[in-house]
Structures are given as C-alpha cells and as structure tokens.
Amino acid sequence: MQLIKTFPADRFAGALDSWQWIGLEDKTPAYASLFGDIFLRGPGGVWWLDTVGGTLQRRWPSMEAVSAELNTAEGQERYLFAGLTAELARRGLTPAAEQVYDFSHPPALGGAIDPDNVDVIDFVVGVNIAGQLHDQLRALPEGTQIRGVSFDDGRLVVDY
C-alpha cells in the first residue's frame, strides 16, 4: 500500500485554510500522509504539518532527505503510521482517492491511536476540521476540561 498521497493545489488549499494560524506562508504542499499530515516545501527545507499533534516543524533540509527518511522503517512509522495503516488495510479499511484516515475521537481530545478509533474522511474536510480543533485548543488554558465538540454554521466549536 502506498503510504503517501498527492492532491491538486486547490484541495491542499482548502484543507490548509484553517491552519493559517500556524505559519504556512512561503510553504507549498508536496504530499500528504494517509492520515492527512502534510509535507511542505519552504524556507530552509521541508516542513512537516502534524495534523494529529497540531504542530509545524522544519524537519529536513531537502526533499531528498525526506525521501531517505521515509524509506526507513522508523521514518515510515513515525511520520506515516505504517503499522497502523497496515492493520487498517488488513481489516479492509482503505481511503478512497480523495480520502484520508481520521481518528473518530481525536487524540488531542484523549482519543487513542488505535485501529478501532480510525475511520476515513474527505481529505479537505478532515484536515480542515483538525486545524480548527487545534486552533481552538491552543487558546485554552492548560488543564481545561473539554465537554465536547459541535458544529455551528459549518464551523467546529469546542465546548468547555
């Protein structure tokens, strides 16, 4: 199974719309993991948008360095959830062309990184929702109890 996906520029733009707060200027998406994490070319190298953890970090000096790391078992596990992906495929859960895997109960809200907590979602919708979630969570004081999440007029709302 292929562990990375590419999408047209407009799909990446829609997915990343809610992530502008994290500092995406001057960065261009190259490809995504099957979990919607995005590898971006930018100043000084290649950046990794961890949509599960809500972070953006410059990790590699070049696309060649990314490829080299993603061609190792450790790199595939760390950045692409290779073991989890293999288990999901074994269970028959495979994202369609415009989909990625998504955690039903986000790890940022206490959900497990476990195959029983994974489903598929449209790439743009899933990544955009993750950006909205992390944007709202970063504004909350440490230890804030989250009661739930809801949608209001198409936007994610964290209830606390």
Side-chain angles (χ1 to χ4, degrees), residues 5-20 29 32 36 38 96-100 121-128:
K5 287 186 153 191
T6 58
F7 295 95
D10 65 323
R11 302 275 298 157
F12 273 118
L16 293 170
D17 184 55
S18 66
W19 287 93
Q20 297 308 308
I38 301 175
E98 297 296 320
Q99 295 178 319
V100 292
I121 193 167
D122 178 81
F123 169 69
V124 173
V125 172
V127 173
N128 196 290

Side-chain angles (χ1 to χ4, degrees), residues 95-159:
E98 297 296 320
Q99 295 178 319
V100 292
Y101 290 119
D102 188 49
F103 292 100
S104 302
H105 182 175
L109 296 175
I113 296 178
D114 181 270
D116 292 331
N117 187 34
V118 176
D119 208 339
V120 294
I121 193 167
D122 178 81
F123 169 69
V124 173
V125 172
V127 173
N128 196 290
I129 288 172
Q132 292 178 55
L133 174 65
H134 287 292
D135 187 22
Q136 291 180 50
L137 291 179
R138 73 187 176 104
L140 298 177
E142 182 98 15
T144 300
Q145 295 293 318
I146 306 297
R147 290 183 296 198
V149 295
S150 59
F151 287 90
D152 183 17
D153 198 25
R155 301 293 297 169
L156 181 90
V157 177
V158 175
D159 301 315

Side-chain angles (χ1 to χ4, degrees), residues 4-68:
I4 59 173
K5 287 186 153 191
T6 58
F7 295 95
D10 65 323
R11 302 275 298 157
F12 273 118
L16 293 170
D17 184 55
S18 66
W19 287 93
Q20 297 308 308
W21 57 269
I22 205 164
L24 296 177
E25 52 281 335
D26 298 329
K27 296 172 187 70
T28 305
Y31 45 81
S33 76
L34 294 182
F35 280 85
D37 296 329
I38 301 175
F39 298 80
L40 303 113
R41 294 180 184 96
V46 182
W47 297 71
W48 180 54
L49 176 63
D50 175 2
T51 60
V52 175
T55 61
L56 175 68
Q57 301 171 346
R58 188 181 66 80
R59 291 285 192 165
W60 305 273
S62 66
M63 290 304 293
E64 293 78 20
V66 176
S67 294

